[in-house]
CSV table of all heavy atoms in Angstrom, one decimal:
chain,number,residue,atom,x,y,z
X,147,GLY,N,5.7,-31.5,27.0
X,147,GLY,CA,4.7,-31.6,25.9
X,147,GLY,C,4.6,-30.3,25.0
X,147,GLY,O,3.6,-30.1,24.4
X,148,LEU,N,5.7,-29.5,24.9
X,148,LEU,CA,5.7,-28.3,24.1
X,148,LEU,C,5.3,-28.6,22.7
X,148,LEU,O,4.7,-27.8,22.0
X,148,LEU,CB,7.0,-27.6,24.3
X,148,LEU,CG,7.1,-26.3,23.5
X,148,LEU,CD1,6.1,-25.2,24.0
X,148,LEU,CD2,8.6,-25.7,23.6
X,149,ASP,N,5.8,-29.7,22.1
X,149,ASP,CA,5.5,-30.0,20.7
X,149,ASP,C,4.0,-30.0,20.5
X,149,ASP,O,3.5,-29.5,19.4
X,149,ASP,CB,6.0,-31.3,20.3
X,149,ASP,CG,7.6,-31.3,20.1
X,149,ASP,OD1,8.1,-30.2,20.0
X,149,ASP,OD2,8.2,-32.4,20.2
X,150,GLY,N,3.2,-30.4,21.4
X,150,GLY,CA,1.8,-30.4,21.3
X,150,GLY,C,1.1,-29.1,21.4
X,150,GLY,O,-0.1,-28.9,21.2
X,151,ARG,N,1.9,-28.1,21.9
X,151,ARG,CA,1.4,-26.7,22.1
X,151,ARG,C,2.1,-25.7,21.2
X,151,ARG,O,2.2,-24.6,21.5
X,151,ARG,CB,1.6,-26.3,23.6
X,151,ARG,CG,0.7,-27.1,24.5
X,151,ARG,CD,0.8,-26.6,26.0
X,151,ARG,NE,2.2,-26.4,26.4
X,151,ARG,CZ,2.9,-27.4,26.9
X,151,ARG,NH1,2.5,-28.6,27.0
X,151,ARG,NH2,4.2,-27.1,27.3
X,152,THR,N,2.7,-26.2,20.1
X,152,THR,CA,3.3,-25.4,19.1
X,152,THR,C,2.4,-25.3,17.9
X,152,THR,O,2.0,-26.4,17.3
X,152,THR,CB,4.7,-26.0,18.7
X,152,THR,OG1,5.5,-26.0,19.8
X,152,THR,CG2,5.3,-25.1,17.6
X,153,ALA,N,2.0,-24.1,17.5
X,153,ALA,CA,1.1,-23.9,16.4
X,153,ALA,C,1.6,-23.0,15.4
X,153,ALA,O,2.3,-22.0,15.7
X,153,ALA,CB,-0.3,-23.4,16.9
X,154,VAL,N,1.3,-23.3,14.1
X,154,VAL,CA,1.7,-22.4,13.0
X,154,VAL,C,0.3,-21.9,12.4
X,154,VAL,O,-0.5,-22.7,12.0
X,154,VAL,CB,2.5,-23.1,11.9
X,154,VAL,CG1,2.7,-22.2,10.7
X,154,VAL,CG2,3.8,-23.7,12.4
X,155,HIS,N,0.2,-20.6,12.5
X,155,HIS,CA,-1.0,-19.9,12.0
X,155,HIS,C,-0.7,-19.3,10.7
X,155,HIS,O,0.3,-18.5,10.6
X,155,HIS,CB,-1.5,-18.8,13.0
X,155,HIS,CG,-1.6,-19.3,14.4
X,155,HIS,ND1,-2.7,-20.0,14.9
X,155,HIS,CD2,-0.7,-19.3,15.5
X,155,HIS,CE1,-2.5,-20.3,16.2
X,155,HIS,NE2,-1.3,-19.9,16.5
X,156,VAL,N,-1.5,-19.6,9.7
X,156,VAL,CA,-1.3,-19.0,8.4
X,156,VAL,C,-2.3,-17.8,8.2
X,156,VAL,O,-3.5,-18.0,8.3
X,156,VAL,CB,-1.6,-20.1,7.3
X,156,VAL,CG1,-1.3,-19.5,5.9
X,156,VAL,CG2,-0.6,-21.2,7.5
X,157,LEU,N,-1.7,-16.7,7.9
X,157,LEU,CA,-2.5,-15.4,7.7
X,157,LEU,C,-2.8,-15.3,6.2
X,157,LEU,O,-2.0,-15.7,5.4
X,157,LEU,CB,-1.7,-14.2,8.2
X,157,LEU,CG,-1.3,-14.2,9.7
X,157,LEU,CD1,-0.4,-13.1,10.0
X,157,LEU,CD2,-2.6,-14.0,10.5
X,158,PRO,N,-4.0,-14.7,5.9
X,158,PRO,CA,-4.3,-14.5,4.5
X,158,PRO,C,-3.4,-13.6,3.8
X,158,PRO,O,-2.7,-12.8,4.3
X,158,PRO,CB,-5.7,-14.0,4.6
X,158,PRO,CG,-6.0,-13.5,6.0
X,158,PRO,CD,-5.0,-14.2,6.8
Side-chain angles (χ1 to χ4, degrees):
L148 181 63
D149 287 343
R151 295 185 310 279
T152 300
V154 176
H155 308 275
V156 179
L157 298 170

